[in-house]
Amino acid sequence: MLDIKITKTTAPKKLPDKDDPLTFGTIFTDHMFMMDYKEGIGWYDARIIPYQPISLEPSAMVFHYGQEMFEGLKAYKAKDGRILLFRPDMNAKRTNRSCRRLCIPEIPEEDFIQAIKELVKIDSAWVPTREGTSLYIRPFIIATDPFLGVRPSKTYKFIIILSPVGAYYPEGINPVKIWIEDDYVRAVKGGIGEAKAGGNYVASLKAQIKAHDEGYSQVLWLDGVHRKYVEEVGSMNIFFKIDGVVVTPELSGSILPGVTRDSVITLCKSWGYKVEERLISIDEIYEAYQKGKLEEVFGTGTAAVISPVGQLRWKDHIMRIGDGNTGPLSRKLYDSLTGIQLGKLKDIFNWTVVVE
Amino acid sequence: MLDIKITKTTAPKKLPDKDDPLTFGTIFTDHMFMMDYKEGIGWYDARIIPYQPISLEPSAMVFHYGQEMFEGLKAYKAKDGRILLFRPDMNAKRTNRSCRRLCIPEIPEEDFIQAIKELVKIDSAWVPTREGTSLYIRPFIIATDPFLGVRPSKTYKFIIILSPVGAYYPEGINPVKIWIEDDYVRAVKGGIGEAKAGGNYVASLKAQIKAHDEGYSQVLWLDGVHRKYVEEVGSMNIFFKIDGVVVTPELSGSILPGVTRDSVITLCKSWGYKVEERLISIDEIYEAYQKGKLEEVFGTGTAAVISPVGQLRWKDHIMRIGDGNTGPLSRKLYDSLTGIQLGKLKDIFNWTVVVE
């Protein structure tokens, strides 16, 4: 149990208007959580302080060697006024998996969740209520040793910031167009692809720009070894409904183990769908498309929840999925997930955690 | 030509003692260079200021998405008092190659070199003179947009800091023991391995710790696709002398194009060696070792210059290179490179640039 010292702001910012649809990740709340780490001491000095700049030495290792990790989850305001977190234990566990791969000291799961709860409670007025909005929670860890040389840092900062957000993609729940990339690679087995590490995201930018230039919203990555197995989309996992079966790439070591991915698998199974986690080649997808069996494609992620895919472009082949509208399974998943997240539907899997 | 505004420190730090052998990357000089970038404006406000912390929003993109790059080069004090830079044009060019891959705006080569020269001139008293020491120059760029979401930043900072340094490895010019890694992967073709990006270094830490635990100083990486072709060592490129021929991995897309690597190739060729840049499998290395033809192995890099390898461990095979001492070619390269860098030897390739 952390002993969190609280210093409240004396200059609260203006809350966004209730009817503001909000953008993503541009405004931040009044407070932030911060905790330091030092080799030999461990994590110490847990505190909630006014949202403020971070001051670091120019030699701080995070600026040079990319030793940094982040998480993302959301808080929702239910109709009855309760504030609900969605599966924060999954983020706590994934934080520590990322930390182990990136040689960052782990954080006890209960401390991670406690810090989030206390911060959200203090800034609870910032949880928006308009449909499609939520309070995005961004925990992250950065290496702070003032040292040039390649080794793990001996000091770190764990920080949590909060941002009231609307839709991550301008398309919202409407279908997006996806570019299948066969030149650039995001990650490879044995690398850091399954960690939520900054390095994976910067690696994705070049192909993202290429896709945008071609009129596509997002990139679907193929594996770095054979350049044929589907991995993930931009900042989401990917699902295909082929001939009635729900198929998603298995967690092979270079794919992010998404919380929404896990939730979608659970929901689909509970509805009686056959769900397969396995290798999926892009040729298989194209063949299913040609045979008229590629019924739905959608991305899953905390930021976008469910993002239906309306079009896939692979080399010169354009695959138009369904009739151009959001498919029935995508819609049902979106409604069920957001229904549980908002406390409108029964939480049969005990996924939500109340901030009290 | 940059118009660099200069603000000198009013509290200069104590210079290290002349006889201090110095460590690597732990002390920094009195000043730093800084320049900002904003979309629509370009790079602006070039300035030299007292060495000081950087203040950034906690949402600054560099903390979350790893959009950062760095360079490394050295300034040396010649016997006649001149301060010499070694091939700064190569670092300027590589900066822009890294920037292109990482979607960071480029910096005109001449501005990059001018900034380094002016900063080194102001802190010229910090260039150490003891043998084996130099002034390490660390230019780096970080993404500063206060924004959560995956896209290139629209604002950046380009910073240069200086550190008087001694040997990068405690072994100095003595042979190091190298662990050949066949589980973790540093980078893969199509990824960011050829850019000097933070993400590549954090990816290397886990295997480095594993190697240390086994009693090895550094990791030799194999390619991420076949897991058999030699790529590079920790923070260096790698060379083998096999049966009289100098062999080094070709720049395949996942290997850093080292300035010292290029210089070593040029020197070896000028001495009449046959130099091959090509794919080299670890099996080939082991076979050459078994036949008694693996004459020398050494790493090359700005930080360590030449780092002879005394032992290679691949699975259960231990290869002991030479007689345990620094090989003649490694020694000759070290003496030649540092001779040119220090202005002791004739600079027939015009590699050095005087800071005036």
Side-chain angles (χ1 to χ4, degrees), chain A residues 24-26 28 32 51-59 62-68 70 100-103 136 138 140 142 146-152 161 168 183-185 188-192 198-199 201-206 208-209 224-225 227 235, chain B residues 24-26 28 32 51-59 62-68 70 100-103 136 138 140 142 146-152 161 168 183-185 188-192 198-199 201-206 208-209 224-225 227 235:
Chain A
F24 198 97
T26 54
F28 299 91
M32 61 200 276
Y51 188 86
Q52 61 190 269
I54 303 169
S55 177
L56 293 176
E57 291 294 307
S59 56
V62 66
F63 294 138
H64 304 269
Y65 305 114
Q67 209 189 2
E68 61 186 51
F70 72 88
R100 286 191 291 273
R101 181 63 185 87
L102 305 170
C103 304
Y136 182 76
R138 168 59 59 95
F140 63 106
I142 53 176
F147 175 68
L148 301 183
V150 183
R151 62 149 173 81
I161 55 177
Y168 185 77
D183 187 8
Y184 295 109
V185 171
V188 70
K189 198 180 165 178
I192 58 173
Y201 294 85
V202 68
S204 77
L205 296 177
K206 191 91 177 174
Q208 191 181 307
I209 288 172
V225 175
R227 306 287 185 108
S235 39
Chain B
F24 198 98
T26 54
F28 299 92
M32 61 200 274
Y51 187 86
Q52 63 190 267
I54 304 168
S55 179
L56 294 175
E57 291 294 307
S59 56
V62 66
F63 294 137
H64 304 269
Y65 306 114
Q67 209 189 2
E68 60 186 53
F70 72 88
R100 286 192 291 274
R101 180 62 184 88
L102 304 171
C103 304
Y136 182 76
R138 168 59 59 94
F140 64 104
I142 53 176
F147 175 67
L148 301 183
V150 184
R151 63 146 170 82
I161 56 177
Y168 185 75
D183 185 9
Y184 295 110
V185 171
V188 70
K189 197 177 167 182
I192 59 174
Y201 294 85
V202 69
S204 76
L205 297 178
K206 190 91 177 176
Q208 192 181 307
I209 288 173
V225 174
R227 305 287 185 106
S235 39

Side-chain angles (χ1 to χ4, degrees), chain A residues 30-240:
Chain A
D30 281 326
H31 298 89
M32 61 200 276
F33 174 88
M34 195 180 282
M35 181 161 75
D36 293 297
Y37 178 92
K38 193 169 181 175
E39 201 180 62
I41 293 176
W43 290 105
Y44 67 99
D45 199 9
R47 57 208 187 267
I48 289 173
I49 53 176
Y51 188 86
Q52 61 190 269
I54 303 169
S55 177
L56 293 176
E57 291 294 307
S59 56
M61 293 184 83
V62 66
F63 294 138
H64 304 269
Y65 305 114
Q67 209 189 2
E68 61 186 51
M69 66 73 56
F70 72 88
E71 268 300 328
L73 67 163
K74 286 176 172 174
Y76 301 84
K77 181 101 94 194
K79 272 232 164 124
D80 58 12
R82 291 178 308 156
I83 293 173
L84 302 175
L85 302 175
F86 187 69
R87 308 188 76 183
D89 55 308
M90 294 284 278
N91 300 92
K93 283 192 186 75
R94 191 170 61 185
T95 291
N96 287 334
R97 276 204 302 276
S98 295
C99 286
R100 286 191 291 273
R101 181 63 185 87
L102 305 170
C103 304
I104 294 172
E106 298 181 38
I107 295 174
E109 286 176 33
E110 57 277 19
D111 293 353
F112 180 94
I113 295 170
Q114 184 197 346
I116 288 172
K117 280 182 169 177
E118 298 227 7
L119 181 62
V120 170
K121 199 160 66 183
I122 281 178
D123 278 341
S124 59
W126 288 84
V127 185
T129 51
R130 189 185 148 124
E131 201 192 319
T133 65
S134 57
L135 185 70
Y136 182 76
I137 303 164
R138 168 59 59 95
F140 63 106
I141 305 176
I142 53 176
T144 56
D145 269 12
F147 175 68
L148 301 183
V150 183
R151 62 149 173 81
S153 182
K154 293 170 183 175
T155 58
Y156 298 85
K157 279 185 189 299
F158 172 53
I159 299 167
I160 307 172
I161 55 177
L162 306 174
S163 174
V165 298
Y168 185 77
Y169 297 118
E171 292 93 340
I173 177 73
N174 296 315
V176 296
K177 289 166 69 184
I178 303 262
W179 172 272
I180 299 174
E181 177 61 34
D182 56 4
D183 187 8
Y184 295 109
V185 171
R186 173 188 167 275
V188 70
K189 198 180 165 178
I192 58 173
E194 62 186 337
K196 242 179 135 59
N200 294 325
Y201 294 85
V202 68
S204 77
L205 296 177
K206 191 91 177 174
Q208 191 181 307
I209 288 172
K210 184 172 145 190
H212 280 196
D213 290 348
E214 297 279 351
Y216 290 76
S217 304
Q218 283 289 307
V219 169
L220 174 60
W221 299 99
L222 301 180
D223 81 285
V225 175
H226 308 94
R227 306 287 185 108
K228 66 183 271 203
Y229 297 107
V230 170
E231 298 228 306
E232 60 180 87
V233 173
S235 39
M236 301 187 289
N237 293 111
I238 186 95
F239 284 76
F240 304 92

Side-chain angles (χ1 to χ4, degrees), chain B residues 42-54:
Chain B
W43 290 106
Y44 68 97
D45 198 9
R47 58 207 186 268
I48 288 173
I49 54 176
Y51 187 86
Q52 63 190 267
I54 304 168

